[in-house]
Amino acid sequence: MVCIMQTNLDRYGQIWENGAKTMSSLDKDVVLTTKQAIRYLKISKPTYLKYIRVGRIKAVKAGRGWKVHQSELYRFLKVRNG
């Protein structure tokens, strides 16, 4: 039997798996896709990709897209907002 986990972000950037809210980002480091990351950061895709290119956000190329830890986005926002 195969169990498929579906991870989604709501409009407030909170992580949901299979309809249930997950632990905080400090308890569990979730890997986000580009689409999820730009929704979490509330920035455009070109801006997100620029931040990766210049090294402001650390992400890993996975196939045609990028993967990033939610804790990295939290760190980015914390540094950005002072």
Side-chain angles (χ1 to χ4, degrees):
M1 183 170 162
V2 177
C3 179
I4 298 173
M5 294 291 286
Q6 182 180 6
T7 303
N8 293 309
L9 284 174
D10 66 11
R11 64 182 179 164
Y12 303 107
Q14 307 232 334
I15 301 293
W16 292 76
E17 285 183 3
N18 291 337
K21 192 173 177 182
T22 64
M23 293 182 275
S24 73
S25 62
L26 300 176
D27 297 332
K28 183 177 178 184
D29 202 8
V30 178
V31 177
L32 303 176
T33 64
T34 297
K35 186 175 182 179
Q36 292 171 323
I38 62 177
R39 190 179 298 165
Y40 181 84
L41 295 173
K42 298 179 180 148
I43 60 175
S44 69
K45 185 175 179 179
T47 300
Y48 175 72
L49 296 175
K50 178 180 78 171
Y51 288 160
I52 291 172
R53 189 175 61 252
V54 298
R56 290 182 65 189
I57 295 175
K58 295 176 185 134
V60 175
K61 184 78 169 158
R64 294 177 58 195
W66 290 90
K67 303 288 183 177
V68 63
H69 284 117
Q70 186 178 10
S71 62
E72 172 62 16
L73 300 182
Y74 178 78
R75 182 208 58 82
F76 170 77
L77 289 174
K78 191 173 174 185
V79 168
R80 183 177 172 194
N81 295 332

